[in-house]
Amino acid sequence: MTSIPSKNLCVRRQQCPCGDWKCYITYEGDSEEGFAAPELVKEERASSGALITPYVGMVFKSDDDAFEYYGNFARKNGFSIRKERSRISPQLGIYKRDFVCYRSGFAPVKKKPNGEHHRDRKSVRCGCDAKMYLSKEVVEGVSQWFVVQFSNVHNHELLEDDQVRLLPAYRKIHEADQERILLLSKAGFPIHRIVKMLEQEKGIQGGQLPFLERDVRNFVQNRKKVVLENEALLSEKRENDVLELLEACKVMKEADNEFVYDFTVDGNDKVENVAWSYGDSVNANAMFGDVVYFDTSYRSVTYGLLFGVWFGIDSYGRTIFYGCVLLQDETPQSFSWALQTFVRFMRGRCPQTILTDLDPGLRDAIIGQFPGTKHVVPQWNILHKVPCWFSPTLGSRYAEFKSEFDALFHIENTEEFELQWSPMISVFGLGSDKHAELLYSVRESWAQAYVRGYFLARMATMAYSKSTDAFLKRIFSAHTCLRSFFEQVGISASFQHQALKETQYIQLKTCIPIEEHARSILTPFAFNALQQELLLAMQYAASEMANGSYIVRHFKRMNGERLVIWLVEDDQIHCSCKEFESSGILCRHALRVLVIKNYFQLPDKYFLGRWRRECSLLVDDDDNNQGIGGEWYQEYQSLAETLFQESSITKERSDYVRKELTKELTRILNEVRNLPEADGVCMNMLVSPAN
C-alpha cells in the first residue's frame, strides 16, 4: 500500500505468513515504525479534567490554541464549534477570529432552476448565539490573542457524551485506522465488514467506534482518486530512484573492483530486483559462511520493495554483514533469484545452515536452491507471533496454552513431539486453526525435536537477534532516498568489518588444565562459552555404564539426564544434548566425563576452526598485550576505533581525517626509520596494527 507516506524508508513486514490479508503481526516496541496495530484513540484532553469556562480577557498564545481550547470545552458541554469569520490587516495579518456553535446562523435557501424553493435536507443550524470572538494584539513584540466576546447561551438541546461523540466535528478516523481500512478495502472487504473487524480488533461493542460506517465509506471513496494519483507519482519516483541506485553501484564497482552487484528487469525493461555486496563481506563468508541468517523482516512503504540482508557471525561473536537485496515482491521466484545471487556473490559457497523468518515462499525457495542446506526458523521468530495468533482466539486460556506450547517447543524427541502435538491442539480447540496448521506444516524448521544438532554457531539466540536488529534500525533511522540508503548500508557494513573491539584478558576460574589450554586456542567469545560449560560441569554427577558410556545428571535435578558416549580408541566423545553439533562448543556433560577421565587438554578436533584465534578476521591482541608494547597497542586500537566512528559521520570529517592522518603517519614513519633498527629485545611480530 503506497497511498500514505511513512516517516521511515522501511517498516517491519506485518502481513502474516498464513497469507490472510486480514491477519497481521504486531511487534512489541515497534509501534513507531509504521503499520502499528489499530488502537482505540484516547478521549480528547477535555475528558481528562475540568476546563475553565472561557471569559472576556482570557489570553491565548495563538488562535489555534484558542480554537483547540474552545473545542475541548464544547465537547465536554455537549456541542461542537466551527470557525466563522476572520479579518485581515496589512500590518497584523489575521487579527480577528470568530468561533461559533455549529448550529449558529441559518442555512441559505437554495432555489431550483424554475425558481421554486428547494431544500435537499434539513439544516441543523438554528440561529444559536453561543460564540467566542478573539482579537490579536502585540504586547512587547509578542503576539497574543484575547477573548473580546463570549456567550454560552444556546437555543437548542445540548447532547450527552454518547451523542456528542457522533457530531461531524468529532468523528475523526485516525491514521492507524486509516491504514487498516485501506488495507482491508484493497483486499476486497465491504465497508460493513471493515467496520465489524475494527470493532472486533479493538474489543469494543458495535457502534462504539469514534466514527460511523458512512464516514468509512466516504473516506474510502475520497481516497481512491488520491491513491491512484499517489501510486502513479510513487511509481515514477521509484523508477528514478532505482536507476540512481544502479548508477551508485556502477560508480562503486569502478572504484572498488571487489564490489559486486546484480539486478533484473521485467518485460518492460523496468528494474525489479537489485542485490549488492562488498569485498570484505565475500572474504568474511569464506571463513564464516557455514551459517547464514537471511533477514527479510523489513519492506519499503515508499518504494514497495522488500529488503533482505544476509548476516553471519565471526569468531569473536560479532555480527558480519554479507550483502543485501531489494526485491519487487515476496514470491518464491524472487526469493530464488536472491538466493542464487547470494551464492554467486560468495563464489559458489552454499551455507551449511540458513536461518530465516517464517515465510512459506522463502522456505520453498530454499528447498529448491539449497537442497543440502539445513533450514531453521529461530525461536524468537516463532514466539513473537504466538500471542498475535492465539491470544484473541483463546482469551483467558491463552496463558495455559502458552505454557504447554513452550514445553512442546523444547521437546527433544520427534516421536514425543508428534504424540503431544495433537492432544494439545484438541484440548484448546485449534483443530481447524490456520496458524496451528501452518506451525505444524513447518515444524521441521523450528521445533527443537527436529533442529537439535543443526550447526547454528550460536546465532539462534536473542542476543544475536538484537545485534542484527540494531544494524537494521541504524540504516533505517531516517526517511531517505535509495541512493543515500545505499551509502548508509556501505558505511554500516564497513564499520561492522573494521571496528576493533578491545578484548579483555579472561581470568581462569578453575584449576582444571583443560581451561588453561582452551584459553590459549579459542577466541574470548568461544572461550567464555566453554568456560561457562566447564564451571557448570562441576554440578553434574557421572555414572559409568557397563558398555563404557556415562549417564550424567545434575546433582539436584534428577530429570533431564544425558547419555555421554566416550570412544577412547578414537579420542571421541558424544553427548545426547548435541550442544557441540549445534554450537561447536563442548557441553558440560561431555566436559564432566573428560575431567573424570583425566584429560588435561581437549582433543584438537573439538576446537573448531571458526572459533580459533588464528581464524579471526580481526586482530586478537591478548598475546601482544602480555608482551612488550601491549599498552600502546591497546591504546592504538581504541583510538583507531573512535577516530573511524567520528570521521564516518560526514564527508567533511572523513576528508579532513584522511588528509591529516596521511600527513601525520608519514611524519611518524620518517622519524621511526631514523631510529636504531635493534635494541637487543626480541619483539613478537606475529600481529601488528597494520593487520
Side-chain angles (χ1 to χ4, degrees), residues 582-598:
S582 173
S583 67
I585 303 294
L586 277 178
C587 64
R588 63 201 68 172
H589 319 104
L591 289 170
R592 180 58 177 158
V593 172
L594 291 176
V595 170
I596 290 175
K597 290 299 180 180
N598 297 323

Side-chain angles (χ1 to χ4, degrees), residues 280-295:
D280 287 340
S281 299
V282 176
N283 295 332
N285 183 266
M287 285 189 281
F288 304 113
D290 43 9
V291 185
V292 171
Y293 172 41
F294 186 32
D295 186 290

